[in-house]
Amino acid sequence: MSEMNGFDNEFAFVLALNNKTIKELTPICRDLIETIFPDENENSIIKCWLNHFKQKSDIFVKINNKTKGISIKKGMKNSVHVEPISEFISFLINNHIPRDSIIEYLKFHYADGTTNGKGLKRISMEEYKVQNQDKIDKINREINNEQLLIKAIDRFIIKGNNSLFPISALIYGEVDDFIFITKEDIRNIILRKKDDYSSTVHFSVLTVQPKNRCLNYNTKYEKDRFCVQVKWYNLFDDIIENMYLKEQSKKEVF
């Protein structure tokens, strides 16, 4: 994968799709568009543009009167969501996560002996896990229930906190070399893997952590300790596995 940054990569997709008919697209782009616009014919003209707001959709695609949002990722250790820790805690409270588990999450998040980040000694996550794995496991048992996971998927990936419109697909890669999943695939992957074990706090395949632990007390990154970041570390592998399972399912039908 090239060194193209995220914005340039998104713009490359706009250039590849905008003002083209479906039949003019490369095979991989045509597969994407026909998947999310199954009722359009090959002569339909595509409009595509960047989303200039910080929302889940990086680009919008419009055919006739239908508009679909698409999220685009590339590289390693993909971040899918960032929000202030206060908003994340409100999300847990509103979904009836027990108070003791919320307190333990705050201790996990700051790893400085406090629930507000004002402790004097910060420790690494590996050191914290050695001392507190049973408490992390308890948090994970609380949050990995299907009802909460469905809400988390919408919040972290599909819709976010500040958009009325869900994404229709998530692309991983660059315009000449990418794979993709639909929003239905995203839900299926995450719910299918909800019982997979992880030693850190997670919603199924989605890892939850501070945006920066700031163990070196660098003032430039201090504010990032007060943000929650959600990462999908195995995004590429999970998309490939999902593609394989869908192909196997088709073969079983026939």
Side-chain angles (χ1 to χ4, degrees):
M1 201 165 289
S2 76
E3 296 300 316
M4 185 187 300
N5 66 38
F7 177 83
D8 289 340
N9 191 41
E10 292 159 14
F11 191 57
F13 277 95
V14 171
L15 294 176
L17 298 173
N18 191 42
N19 290 325
K20 305 279 178 59
T21 61
I22 293 177
K23 68 182 179 183
E24 291 178 305
L25 300 177
T26 62
I28 190 170
C29 286
R30 181 166 180 168
D31 184 26
L32 167 70
I33 296 302
E34 289 182 335
T35 298
I36 62 176
F37 290 95
D39 300 324
E40 300 297 335
N41 67 66
E42 65 176 10
N43 295 308
S44 297
I45 296 174
I46 302 162
K47 295 294 180 183
C48 183
W49 64 95
L50 292 169
N51 183 6
H52 295 288
F53 294 96
K54 288 190 174 182
Q55 297 174 334
K56 297 307 178 190
S57 296
D58 295 306
I59 62 172
F60 290 108
V61 179
K62 184 176 182 179
I63 302 179
N64 295 319
N65 293 318
K66 297 176 185 174
T67 302
K68 305 288 180 77
I70 298 175
S71 174
I72 302 173
K73 303 293 181 185
K74 68 189 292 276
M76 306 292 289
K77 302 179 181 180
N78 282 274
S79 175
V80 294
H81 185 75
V82 176
E83 66 179 36
I85 190 168
S86 58
E87 293 182 12
F88 178 72
I89 295 302
S90 293
F91 172 67
L92 298 182
I93 291 170
N94 291 338
N95 284 284
H96 313 295
I97 297 303
R99 183 174 182 273
D100 61 334
S101 289
I102 291 173
I103 289 171
E104 289 303 333
Y105 175 77
L106 288 166
K107 290 179 180 178
F108 159 87
H109 184 93
Y110 293 117
D112 65 1
T114 76
T115 58
N116 61 11
K118 294 183 178 180
L120 297 179
K121 183 186 176 184
R122 302 172 187 175
I123 62 175
S124 71
M125 185 40 45
E126 291 309 312
E127 187 177 349
Y128 187 88
K129 286 195 289 187
V130 167
Q131 300 172 14
N132 299 280
Q133 190 62 61
D134 59 329
K135 295 171 183 174
I136 295 171
D137 292 344
K138 183 176 185 297
I139 296 168
N140 287 329
R141 286 193 295 271
E142 296 282 359
I143 65 176
N144 280 278
N145 68 80
E146 188 161 318
Q147 187 176 11
L148 181 54
L149 279 175
I150 290 169
K151 294 179 182 179
I153 293 163
D154 274 352
R155 183 182 186 89
F156 299 153
I157 305 176
I158 292 177
K159 195 170 180 180
N161 306 338
N162 61 345
S163 174
L164 297 175
F165 306 103
I167 64 168
S168 293
L170 185 154
I171 288 170
Y172 179 87
E174 298 177 357
V175 71
D176 296 322
D177 181 17
F178 69 89
I179 52 180
F180 69 91
I181 43 176
T182 66
K183 65 182 177 182
E184 291 79 17
D185 292 326
I186 292 168
R187 292 191 178 106
N188 290 338
I189 291 168
I190 292 173
L191 292 177
R192 186 171 66 242
K193 292 177 174 284
K194 69 182 178 67
D195 296 322
D196 288 5
Y197 182 77
S198 173
S199 62
T200 191
V201 175
H202 66 102
F203 289 82
S204 181
V205 299
L206 306 175
T207 297
V208 182
Q209 61 191 58
K211 189 176 180 184
N212 194 314
R213 293 203 172 275
C214 204
L215 297 179
N216 61 1
Y217 299 85
N218 186 331
T219 55
K220 181 178 178 181
Y221 300 107
E222 191 68 19
K223 66 182 185 302
D224 290 341
R225 295 184 70 231
F226 301 92
C227 290
V228 170
Q229 185 172 50
V230 180
K231 289 196 169 190
W232 192 338
Y233 279 100
N234 296 320
L235 176 58
F236 176 83
D237 293 340
D238 287 336
I239 295 176
I240 293 295
E241 180 185 51
N242 185 71
M243 292 166 64
Y244 171 77
L245 291 173
K246 288 174 78 171
E247 283 300 314
Q248 292 299 112
S249 179
K250 288 178 186 176
K251 290 177 182 177
E252 289 173 7
V253 170
F254 294 104

